[in-house]
Structure formats: structure tokens, C-alpha cells
Amino acid sequence: MENEHKISILGSTGSIGTQTLEVVRAYPNFKVMAMSANSNIELLEKQAREFLPELVCVVNEEKANELKIKLSDTDIKVVSGKDGLVEVATYKDVKTVVTAVVGISGLEPTIEAIKAGKNIALANKETLVTGGHIVTALAREYGVSLLPVDSEHSAIFQSLQGFSHSQVKRILLTASGGPFYGKKRDELLNITPADALKHPNWDMGAKVTIDSSTLVNKGLEVIEAKWLFNVPVDKIKVLIHRESIVHSMVEYDDNGVIAQLGVPDMKLPIQYALTYPDRLKMTDNVLDFTKYQKLTFDEPDEDTFFALRLAKEAGTMGGTMPTVFNSADEVAVSMFMKGKLSYLGISDMIAKAMSEHKNIVNPTLNEILETDKWAREFVASKIER
Ligand code: NDP
Ligand code: MG
């Protein structure tokens, strides 16, 4: 097809992955060449039969073998493991890779995709949190674009179009505040996974939903913004905005503020990352201002939700500290989901891991992966004792 835009999707079975496929469905000039899941082969098989990619990867080996049999009546090649993920990320003729896996698992395939000259539609914020200095330097070296999918970063990116970067005074990063906005620590003692999974405005994967409730997600986003837009952490101001209509803003030297607004739906940021600088038609998701009598803004409570403060510290220090912040959180959230750690324990574990870690400045990929391993083992050992 003329003007065909070939893409691959890391994590096609997740929340961002399935919404990316909705965008693809609406625009036939997108062609999915390759996609991946961790283990959900039921959904991946359905997706493969509908979108007919040339390659699919299931990270879990056993599940990959099952899928191979299921798809044996097709020409679709099935691969597995971390190497398979890299194959999806570097697949021939793909122009843009959508990184929609969760956690630090996105880092290595993204690095390989950049080295293969692919543009990155980046949802996996953990990639920049852990390896921001490597990824941004490689993107410059290989002349590829890092196009934000995260709604706030898409809003900032949109608000930067046409203006001089050197005249940016501050970035105003909005946060919904999550389900526990306004609560204090003593009201959060008995929070269950079900409570924390009830996000007021956004329907997302489990990990990012829990992270939104602890403000860990906003912390990760501060570090993500630092790398994407090359601004120091102290120029990134988090603002609680309960309605999730103003997706973020840029304040310039003349105090003019440019914002991007829209209903809370990931399709626009996903679509914009794939079509930038074009804006394609969207039939649904019209913002009806009369439904919102007021838009509110507030300071975040960094005493109760102190993971945000920890993230800013980690982001300011740089080195391996943001990896410790992220990896400690990944383990702590998974322990919380299994009922092995209290809700408040998540932020406590991050603080403990950060205070025990000797920061490595300008780490190599290997040092980042070693740090990830250390932080996981550290948190697991504190919980299992
Ligand atoms: P989900 O949990 O919904 O989906 C994760 C995807 O990654 C699934 O396809 C899953 O496969 C796969 N996966 C899980 N673990 C691994 C692993 N270890 N190795 C390889 N693949 C894996 O996550 P989301 O879509 O919510 O989030 C994806 C990323 O986008 C995250 O970094 C998140 O922070 C970011 N993001 C998400 C937003 C949202 O609205 N959901 C908004 C902004 C950013 P399987 O289905 O088989 O488990
Ligand atoms: Mg976000």
C-alpha cells in the first residue's frame, strides 16, 4: 500500500498495546509487522489472526511453543524469550516500534530498536527512567525520534511545537492524584489491591494503576520528562489536576502557558506518536467543556505520597539511583498484589533500597542491569524475612 507505515508493538496484549491496535484498525495505512506478549497467547493468537503480522514473540517459552502449534496453519513466525523480543523490536522494514511492555524489560529491546534505526513510540517510561542517558544518546547518534506516548509527555511535546526550547521556564506535569487523593498515612494502613486498582479517570494496566495511587507513576514521569525534554528535575512542577483534562503544560519565560487538553483517553497520544507531525481525524473523544464546570489544580502531598519526593531525589542524582527507585517499586508492587506487603510498604521499600544503594554515576547497561538485580533481591529479602 502507498504510504504504508510499518510498525511493531512490544506488548500488544496490554492496555497500551490493545489501544494501539484500535488506532491501527481505524487507519488501514498502518501495518503491524511484528508484535509480542509475555504469556497471554489466547489474546495474541486473536490479534495475530486479525492483523496478520509476519512475526510474533511470546517471552514465555512454553507458551510460545503452544502458540506455534495454534498458528501452524498460518505463515506467522513465532519466537520466544528476550531474543525474540529483540527480533520484534528490530524487525525488517519496521519504521516505528511501539514500546508498550511494562517495567525494565523494555530497556534492552528499545536500545536494540534504536540501533536498528527505528523510531520509538515510547510508552514504556521505565526505559528512560533506568537508561535515559544511554537511550537519548543513542537516539541522537542513530538519528531516530523518541516520540512520547505517555499522555502527559505527549501533551508537553505538543505544547513545545513551534516554540523555542531555550525559552522554556518550567514544565507543569499534571497528575490525577489517584484514588487516595486527600488521604493521610493513617487512612492508608489497610488499603487492599482492589482499592488501589480503582483509578478515578484512567483504565490502565495493573502496575501503572497501583503506581498512580502511590504517586510513584508521577515520580517516574518526572524522570521520563527530564530525559525526553532535556530539562532538570527542579524545572518540572507536578500539579494535581483531578479532572485529567489538562494533560500537562509548558510555561515559557514570558509566563505564557501552553497546554494540551482532551478527554482522558490514550488513543490521541498513541496516534500522535505514530503520525507526528500530522493530526489524523478522530471521530469519538470530543471534549465537551460544558461537562466540566471547573478545572481544579492543587499541590501534591509529598509527605503522605513521599515516593514522589524520592523520585525527584533519584532523578536529580541520576546514575543508577532511578533504577533502584524503579526496580524496588516493581518488586514491592508485585508483593503488594500478592498480599505479602502492605500498601504503605511499597514506598517504604523504595526508600530503604535507595538509602542502601551506592550510586553509580553514568552507568553502563550492564551496571544498570546489575543494579536492577540488586534492588529486586534487596526488597525481596526484606519482605521474606
Ligand atoms: P499492561 O500490564 O496492560 O501490559 C503489559 C504488556 O507487556 C502486555 O502485553 C504483557 O504481556 C507484556 N509484558 C508483561 N511483562 C513482560 C515482560 N517481563 N517481558 C515482556 N513483556 C511483558 O501494561 P500497560 O499497557 O498499562 O503499560 C505498558 C507501559 O506503558 C508501562 O510502561 C506503563 O507505565 C506505560 N503507560 C501506560 C498507560 C496506560 O494507559 N495503560 C499510560 C501511560 C504509560 P501479557 O499480556 O502476556 O502479560
Ligand atoms: Mg501518564
Side-chain angles (χ1 to χ4, degrees), residues 125 150-153 204 208 217-218 221 224 266:
K125 57 194 88 182
D150 211 346
S151 58
E152 294 79 357
H153 304 74
M204 310 178 286
V208 56
N217 181 53
K218 211 45 59 179
E221 290 184 356
E224 181 186 13
M266 291 306 295

Side-chain angles (χ1 to χ4, degrees), residues 195-215:
D195 298 331
L197 284 171
K198 277 182 217 135
H199 195 280
N201 304 335
W202 295 95
D203 181 11
M204 310 178 286
K207 195 236 171 200
V208 56
T209 306
I210 304 287
D211 283 350
S212 296
S213 78
T214 54
L215 296 197

Side-chain angles (χ1 to χ4, degrees), residues 269-330:
I270 292 169
Q271 180 174 305
Y272 190 68
L274 291 175
T275 63
Y276 168 79
D278 290 333
R279 287 182 174 273
L280 299 190
K281 280 201 179 106
M282 177 109 61
T283 45
D284 53 353
N285 291 332
V286 179
L287 176 57
D288 178 357
F289 277 96
T290 62
K291 285 206 178 124
Y292 298 87
Q293 296 294 315
K294 56 181 180 191
L295 297 178
T296 61
F297 299 92
D298 194 5
E299 289 287 344
D301 173 0
E302 291 189 13
D303 293 324
T304 305
F305 302 98
F306 65 94
L308 177 57
R309 186 182 293 146
L310 294 173
K312 288 187 194 166
E313 282 169 26
T316 304
M317 289 175 82
T320 42
M321 202 53 94
T323 299
V324 173
F325 178 88
N326 174 70
S327 302
D329 175 67
E330 284 192 33

Side-chain angles (χ1 to χ4, degrees), residues 124-273:
N124 180 257
K125 57 194 88 182
E126 297 89 341
T127 292
L128 289 179
V129 170
T130 57
H133 61 297
I134 297 174
V135 169
T136 51
L138 278 176
R140 274 192 302 274
E141 184 185 339
Y142 285 86
V144 304
S145 308
L146 297 176
L147 299 150
V149 168
D150 211 346
S151 58
E152 294 79 357
H153 304 74
S154 177
I156 295 161
F157 184 60
Q158 293 177 58
S159 303
L160 286 166
Q161 298 302 314
F163 296 98
S164 168
H165 206 99
S166 63
Q167 289 157 6
V168 171
K169 192 165 95 188
R170 285 194 303 177
I171 282 177
L172 304 171
L173 184 70
T174 54
S176 73
F180 310 130
Y181 168 72
K183 297 219 186 298
K184 296 292 173 198
R185 256 181 101 80
D186 59 358
E187 296 170 271
L188 298 174
L189 293 170
N190 299 313
I191 295 299
T192 65
D195 298 331
L197 284 171
K198 277 182 217 135
H199 195 280
N201 304 335
W202 295 95
D203 181 11
M204 310 178 286
K207 195 236 171 200
V208 56
T209 306
I210 304 287
D211 283 350
S212 296
S213 78
T214 54
L215 296 197
V216 162
N217 181 53
K218 211 45 59 179
L220 295 171
E221 290 184 356
V222 168
I223 304 172
E224 181 186 13
K226 164 186 149 166
W227 289 115
L228 274 174
F229 308 115
N230 193 21
V231 284
V233 167
D234 62 9
K235 283 191 168 188
I236 304 167
K237 164 83 189 143
V238 173
L239 272 180
I240 302 290
H241 167 50
R242 294 296 282 161
E243 297 78 15
S244 296
I245 293 301
V246 178
H247 294 309
S248 278
M249 308 180 256
V250 178
E251 185 179 271
Y252 289 89
D253 283 340
D254 59 1
N255 294 334
V257 178
I258 307 292
Q260 186 260 330
L261 285 69
V263 298
D265 186 293
M266 291 306 295
K267 280 213 297 292
L268 170 61
I270 292 169
Q271 180 174 305
Y272 190 68

